[in-house]
């Protein structure tokens, strides 16, 4: 493969640093076109190469003698590897340098765009492979030679069909959008697959290609009905921390061709709608190219999904190559002339491509520290050697005491600006930050916002091990949610502090006064305070939702325990309990409120039971004469009534025990007891201490039971 690239290689002039490169490919005539040429019905559009001066870059129209100049002309006898070598290879090399590169095939329908980009040979070494399979082969061959870098390759594939952007790796997904006003085009929700070999690349590509929409027309049996783009990201992370991480982007675009209804035979139906959308998007693309060539202030990228997708490929920030494809017959001279004009205007688009690279300051600082430490160790060995030889004193008298650097820099020196930078980048507080926080806490003051970390602003809540399993699961789930928000807040806080440091450094370099610096620092403090308030509001909302979820889980656990305790309840009592659970689920916003409400209910039921117990004997004595007279002196009726009252009293005891189980469902250690009479004995009832989370708990007043009993 590489020998094929090197053999007979005539390099093109590298103009990609200044403008878009444009090459032209003429399709070989098919059998019908050969018959036209033989009969004289239609003639070839181009003059032969032997009748054209500089045929590699010049072409002449046979009908009017008009001359066109492009970066490279590929006649109908060219091979696929010639196209790749001269059109695609320079762009690929720029991608490995960290640039954004694009290769577009533009032309009339049926002129060989898909054949140029994809080819119809699916073998790994076939001669008819197009640009995309050869790019896949070259990317991984080139990555294997980058021994100093760890290369990661990701791939995505989209289609614009009826002006709707579709992910070809997940075709059932909804329509995607393009993020506006970013340095490079971003598509949230795009499926990107990490690939490690050429075979995997091509399997994914053919999977996406199978979901493209094609249709048979009079000009092309497999006409593409939408534009397709294969997006490849190449990230090179250096093994040497002092070097930068580069990220190149390659966009391979197979545009659908311009169609005339009279030539394609399409007039109605969905095929006509497809042709209208294709032609409209290509017209929008032409308007963008004209605007860029004329250096207009406003470029109409938003007129089409296609132009928005190709914004970073055409907008001057990438190194792009356009492959024009034309037919050989002058029957299509109008479409061919439009294609040539598009290429002529594209060559006038100036570019200012930029490398996308990232530096890790912490790693680079660590490398410098290591080198400085090694230097200090070497100097120490040299000093010890001179002392052993007895020449150190003479050296010191001549040159003075050598300045030997320490092995490790002191990042905790509060006067060292490097310590603050390292602390911000590594998200670790320095000694100055820790000391300020401790002093503020000792004085009972609020910790300064500038000394806070995101962990101080958003933190999780501990999981109660004594809580029911459902409650613990809710607490763990919401703690994960809080941790995710804490990470986002940490990143936001880090970026804000780093920007503040950069602003101060730029202001100092500009020589501004101390008053302006003080005002700038005050603005930074206000901005940090605003961030703190926003994060606290977010935390309060998350905790509110978490507490309500805990209350729901607690009630569900209590209901399950109530139904499984085996005690006897009448149907009426079960209905009342279910009604109670439903009411608490709707009205309680926290676990603590559930416990307080249940405790109130227990106190109320116990006071009713105490009233019934105190009035039991008087009621029996008052009813005895009536029972005696009604039963004719028989004392059995009175005994039966007494037993009935005792049975009612026993069921009330069971009801209270069930309510106690609801209050004590967490089974935590008691913090206070109250003596409550149940039946004929006195038993302590335990109130579970609620876990306070910023919600005020209710304190039971002294004499609460007595007041309930009197009522």
């Amino acid at each position: 493969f590489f020998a094929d690239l090197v053999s007979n290689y005539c390099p093109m002039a590298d103009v990609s640093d200044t403008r878009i490169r444009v090459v032209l490919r003429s399709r070989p005539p098919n059998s019908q076109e050969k018959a036209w040429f033989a009969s004289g019905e239609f003639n070839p559009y181009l003059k032969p190469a032997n009748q054209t001066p500089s045929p590699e870059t010049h072409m002449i129209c046979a009908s009017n003698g008009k001359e066109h100049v492009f970066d490279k002309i590929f006649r109908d006898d060219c091979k696929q590897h010639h196209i790749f070598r001269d059109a695609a290879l320079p762009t690929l090399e720029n991608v490995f340098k960290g640039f954004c590169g694009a290769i577009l095939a533009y032309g009339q329908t049926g002129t060989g765009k898909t054949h140029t980009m994809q080819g119809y040979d699916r073998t790994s070494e076939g001669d008819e492979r197009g640009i995309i399979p050869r790019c896949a082969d070259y990317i991984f061959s080139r990555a294997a030679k980058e021994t100093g870098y760890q290369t990661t390759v990701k791939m995505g594939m989209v289609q614009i069909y009826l002006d709707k952007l579709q992910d070809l790796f997940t075709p059932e997904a909804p329509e995607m959008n393009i993020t506006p006003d970013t340095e490079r085009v971003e598509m949230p929700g795009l499926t990107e697959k990490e690939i490690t070999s050429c075979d995997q690349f091509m399997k994914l590509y053919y999977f996406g290609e199978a979901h493209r929409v094609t249709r048979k027309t009079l000009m092309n049996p497999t006409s593409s009905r939408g534009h397709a783009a294969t997006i490849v990201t190449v990230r090179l992370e250096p093994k040497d921390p002092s070097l930068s991480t580069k990220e190149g982007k390659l966009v391979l675009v197979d545009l659908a061709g311009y169609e005339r209804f009279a030539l394609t035979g399409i007039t109605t139906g969905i095929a006509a709608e497809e042709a209208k959308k294709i032609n409209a998007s290509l017209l929008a693309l032409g308007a963008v190219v004209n605007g860029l060539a004329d250096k207009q202030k406003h470029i109409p990228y938003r007129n089409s999904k296609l132009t928005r997708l190709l914004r970073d490929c055409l907008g001057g920030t990438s190194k792009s190559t356009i492959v024009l494809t034309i037919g050989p017959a002058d029957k299509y001279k109008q479409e061919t002339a439009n294609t040539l004009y598009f290429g002529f205007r594209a060559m006038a688009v100036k570019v200012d491509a930029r490398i996308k690279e990232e530096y890790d300051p912490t790693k680079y600082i660590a490398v410098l520290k290591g080198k400085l430490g090694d230097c200090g160790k070497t100097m120490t060995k040299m000093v010890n050697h001179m002392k052993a030889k007895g020449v150190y004193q003479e050296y010191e008298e001549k040159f003075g005491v050598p300045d030997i650097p320490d092995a490790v820099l002191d990042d905790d020196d509060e006067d060292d600006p490097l310590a603050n930078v390292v602390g911000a980048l590594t998200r670790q507080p320095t000694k100055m930050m820790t000391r300020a926080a401790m002093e503020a806490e000792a004085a009972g003051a609020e910790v300064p916002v500038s000394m806070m970390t995101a962990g101080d602003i958003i933190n999780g809540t501990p999981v109660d091990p004594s809580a029911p399993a459902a409650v613990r699961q809710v607490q763990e789930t919401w703690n994960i949610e809080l941790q995710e928000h804490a990470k986002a807040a940490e990143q936001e806080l880090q970026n804000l502090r780093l920007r503040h440091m950069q602003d101060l450094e730029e202001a100092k370099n500009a020589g501004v006064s101390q008053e302006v610096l003080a005002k700038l620092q005050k603005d930074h403090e206000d901005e940090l305070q605003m961030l703190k308030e926003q994060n606290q509001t977010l935390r309060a909302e998350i905790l509110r939702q978490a507490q309500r979820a805990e209350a729901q889980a607690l009630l569900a656990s209590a209901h399950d325990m109530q139904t499984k305790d085996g005690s006897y309840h009448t149907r009426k009592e079960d209905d009342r309990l279910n009604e109670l659970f439903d009411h608490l689920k709707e009205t309680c916003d926290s676990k603590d409120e559930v416990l307080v409400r249940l405790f109130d209910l227990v106190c109320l039921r116990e006071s009713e039971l105490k009233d019934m117990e105190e009035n039991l004997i008087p009621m029996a004595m008052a009813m005895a004469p009536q029972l005696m007279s009604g039963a004719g002196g028989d004392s059995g009726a009175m005994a039966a009534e007494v037993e009935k009252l005792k049975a009612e009293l026993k069921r009330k005891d069971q009801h209270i025990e069930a309510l106690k189980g609801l209050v004590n469902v967490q089974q935590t250690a008691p913090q206070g007891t109250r003596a409550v009479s149940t039946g004929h004995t006195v038993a302590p009832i335990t109130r579970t201490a609620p876990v306070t989370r910023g919600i005020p708990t209710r304190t039971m007043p002294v004499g609460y039971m007595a007041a309930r009993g009197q009522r």
Side-chain angles (χ1 to χ4, degrees):
F1 176 72
F2 286 102
D4 179 38
L5 292 179
V6 176
S7 63
N8 300 321
Y9 177 53
C10 180
M12 297 169 51
D14 188 9
V15 298
S16 59
D17 290 335
T18 58
R19 63 172 175 81
I20 294 177
R21 299 169 66 249
V22 180
V23 301
L24 175 71
R25 184 180 193 182
S26 176
R27 174 177 58 80
N30 55 32
S31 57
Q32 185 181 24
E33 291 165 341
K34 290 179 180 179
W36 290 343
F37 298 160
S39 64
E41 183 178 359
F42 295 102
N43 299 314
Y45 186 84
L46 300 180
K47 283 188 176 182
N50 56 10
Q51 300 179 15
T52 305
S54 304
E56 292 186 352
T57 57
H58 291 65
M59 57 160 286
I60 300 176
C61 296
S63 59
N64 55 17
K66 187 174 181 179
E67 183 177 350
H68 298 273
V69 180
F70 296 104
D71 293 307
K72 189 74 173 179
I73 304 291
F74 298 97
R75 304 281 172 170
D76 53 13
D77 58 347
C78 75
K79 302 297 183 183
Q80 291 282 61
H81 68 270
H82 295 154
I83 298 286
F84 173 75
R85 181 187 64 191
D86 293 333
L89 190 58
T91 301
L92 272 175
E93 282 299 318
N94 288 324
V95 169
F96 273 87
K97 295 176 183 177
F99 289 102
C100 175
I103 303 173
L104 296 83
Y106 181 94
Q108 180 194 10
T109 181
T111 54
K113 295 182 300 298
T114 302
H115 174 71
T116 299
M117 296 301 297
Q118 174 185 332
Y120 297 104
D121 191 342
R122 296 196 174 190
T123 61
S124 59
E125 299 293 337
D127 292 336
E128 292 302 315
R129 292 179 301 152
I131 288 177
I132 293 176
R134 294 174 186 271
C135 282
D137 193 0
Y138 183 83
I139 285 172
F140 292 100
S141 301
R142 180 75 164 75
K145 293 187 175 183
E146 294 289 347
T147 57
Y149 290 85
Q150 178 67 35
T151 306
T152 304
V153 181
K154 292 184 178 180
M155 173 187 178
M157 198 170 177
V158 296
Q159 173 185 239
I160 299 177
Y161 177 68
L162 295 177
D163 206 35
K164 294 181 180 180
L165 189 62
Q166 177 188 13
D167 188 345
L168 290 178
F169 287 165
T170 54
E172 70 279 359
E175 179 186 0
M176 295 191 303
N177 295 316
I178 300 174
T179 303
D181 302 327
T182 53
E183 182 181 0
R184 290 188 176 179
V185 171
E186 297 179 1
M187 290 169 280
L190 174 65
T191 303
E192 284 190 303
K193 303 284 188 179
E194 184 173 342
I195 49 180
T196 57
S197 67
C198 178
D199 291 340
Q200 185 183 6
F201 183 106
M202 294 312 301
K203 285 180 181 179
L204 285 173
Y205 176 79
Y206 289 131
F207 173 81
E209 181 69 19
H211 293 95
R212 288 191 65 184
V213 181
T214 60
R215 193 180 304 278
K216 183 179 180 179
T217 67
L218 295 179
M219 294 188 66
N220 190 353
T222 57
S223 175
S224 301
R225 311 312 294 167
H227 313 292
T230 303
I231 303 164
V232 183
T233 304
V234 181
R235 184 177 179 85
L236 295 94
E237 297 182 1
K239 297 178 182 178
D240 183 357
S242 62
L243 301 177
S244 63
T245 298
K246 300 177 182 179
E247 184 173 307
K249 177 182 175 184
L250 176 64
V251 183
L252 303 166
V253 185
D254 180 12
L255 296 173
Y258 183 82
E259 297 184 0
R260 268 199 297 169
F261 291 167
L263 296 179
T264 58
I266 295 174
T267 56
T268 58
I270 187 64
E273 288 298 321
E274 294 168 349
K276 291 177 183 178
K277 294 294 183 181
I278 291 171
N279 294 344
S281 62
L282 291 176
L283 288 174
L285 179 60
V288 167
V289 170
N290 286 330
L292 291 170
D294 295 336
K295 298 182 180 179
Q296 298 176 4
K297 291 184 178 179
H298 172 70
I299 308 299
Y301 288 114
R302 296 179 180 270
N303 290 356
S304 170
K305 284 283 180 64
L306 176 63
T307 52
R308 275 182 277 174
L309 176 65
L310 301 180
R311 178 170 57 85
D312 58 352
C313 301
L314 301 173
T317 60
S318 67
K319 298 193 175 186
S320 302
T321 300
I322 296 178
V323 181
L324 305 177
T325 59
I326 62 174
D330 59 3
K331 179 182 180 180
Y332 316 113
K333 58 184 178 181
Q334 180 179 347
E335 289 77 9
T336 302
N338 292 337
T339 301
L340 297 177
Y341 180 75
F342 176 85
F344 168 72
R345 297 297 288 165
M347 290 179 67
V349 177
K350 304 298 181 181
V351 300
D352 182 20
R354 306 181 188 94
I355 294 177
K356 184 176 181 181
E357 55 184 352
E358 304 169 359
Y359 284 94
D360 191 338
T362 54
K363 292 183 178 179
Y364 189 54
I365 289 171
V367 171
L368 294 180
K369 287 181 182 180
K371 292 181 178 180
L372 194 60
D374 294 339
C375 180
K377 292 177 182 178
T378 303
M379 293 178 66
T380 302
K381 290 181 181 179
M382 294 174 63
V383 169
N384 293 335
H385 179 71
M386 287 190 293
K387 287 180 178 180
K389 296 296 184 180
V391 296
Y392 177 73
Q393 186 174 359
E394 180 181 356
Y395 173 86
E396 186 175 343
E397 291 174 356
K398 285 185 178 182
F399 304 102
V401 178
D403 186 9
I404 302 177
D406 296 332
V408 180
L409 289 175
D410 185 8
D411 289 336
D412 297 325
D413 184 5
E414 61 185 57
D415 296 328
D416 182 10
L418 182 63
N420 295 329
V421 177
V422 173
L425 293 175
T426 59
R427 293 181 277 183
Q428 296 295 329
T430 61
K431 268 188 179 178
M432 180 178 62
M433 297 172 63
T434 306
R435 189 182 307 113
M438 293 176 62
E439 291 174 356
E441 185 177 357
E446 186 177 0
V447 179
V449 180
S450 58
M451 301 303 173
M452 283 187 172
T453 63
D456 300 322
I457 299 175
I458 294 184
N459 50 12
T461 57
V463 177
D464 187 1
S466 62
V471 178
R472 292 198 305 272
Q473 184 177 1
V474 168
Q475 291 173 344
E476 292 171 356
T477 302
W478 281 96
N479 277 345
I480 294 174
E481 184 75 14
L482 278 171
Q483 290 170 6
E484 292 297 325
H485 284 284
K487 289 180 182 178
E490 189 75 55
Q491 183 66 35
E492 187 177 4
L493 191 65
Q494 172 191 349
N495 295 336
L496 188 61
R497 283 183 175 151
L498 186 57
R499 181 168 61 81
H500 289 173
M501 291 180 189
Q502 293 172 348
D503 292 345
L504 290 174
E505 188 65 28
E506 291 176 0
K508 290 178 182 178
N509 294 336
V512 300
S513 62
Q514 292 296 326
E515 291 78 5
V516 176
L517 283 177
K519 185 178 182 303
L520 185 60
Q521 291 176 346
K522 179 64 170 57
D523 293 341
H524 291 169
E525 189 72 20
D526 294 341
E527 194 171 0
L528 287 169
Q529 178 67 30
M530 185 182 301
L531 177 62
K532 173 193 173 184
E533 293 174 356
Q534 292 175 352
N535 287 330
Q536 285 178 340
T537 303
L538 176 63
R539 178 178 182 274
E541 176 61 22
I542 294 175
L543 286 178
R544 186 190 68 78
Q545 297 180 17
Q547 289 165 355
R548 185 164 183 83
E550 286 181 6
Q552 302 285 334
L554 177 63
L555 287 169
S557 300
H559 187 272
D560 293 342
M561 186 179 298
Q562 177 69 20
T563 56
K564 296 176 182 178
D565 65 352
S567 58
Y568 171 75
H569 306 111
T570 64
R571 180 174 186 137
K572 184 177 181 180
E573 289 172 340
D574 286 337
D575 293 340
R576 289 190 63 189
L577 284 174
N578 292 333
E579 184 181 355
L580 171 65
F581 281 122
D582 294 339
H583 175 70
L584 291 178
K585 285 182 180 179
E586 294 177 358
T587 58
C588 293
D589 290 331
S590 68
K591 182 178 63 174
D592 302 334
E593 188 175 353
V594 171
L595 297 175
V596 171
R597 297 276 291 278
L598 288 177
F599 185 80
D600 290 346
L601 189 58
V602 169
C603 294
L604 175 63
R605 295 308 183 200
E606 287 181 342
S607 65
E608 292 177 355
L609 183 60
K610 185 177 180 181
D611 292 342
M612 183 178 294
E613 181 185 3
E614 291 175 351
N615 296 327
L616 177 62
I617 302 301
M619 289 171 59
M621 294 177 63
M623 294 174 63
Q626 300 176 6
L627 293 172
M628 291 294 293
S629 60
D634 186 5
S635 62
M638 182 178 68
E641 186 65 22
V642 171
E643 292 298 328
K644 181 179 179 182
L645 290 174
K646 287 184 178 181
E648 179 68 20
L649 185 62
K650 184 176 180 180
R651 287 197 298 108
K652 292 293 183 181
D653 283 339
Q654 292 176 350
H655 191 190
I656 288 181
E657 291 300 326
L659 290 173
K660 287 182 183 180
L662 297 180
V663 178
N664 296 319
V665 70
Q666 291 193 99
Q667 299 178 357
T668 57
Q671 293 189 359
T673 59
R674 293 184 182 274
V676 180
S677 64
T678 59
H680 301 285
T681 62
V682 178
I685 174 170
T686 302
R687 178 186 179 191
T688 303
V691 181
T692 60
R693 301 187 179 187
I695 299 177
T697 57
R698 181 175 177 181
T699 304
M700 295 300 169
V702 179
Y704 182 88
M705 293 291 299
R708 288 287 195 186
Q710 290 173 4
R711 287 199 295 274

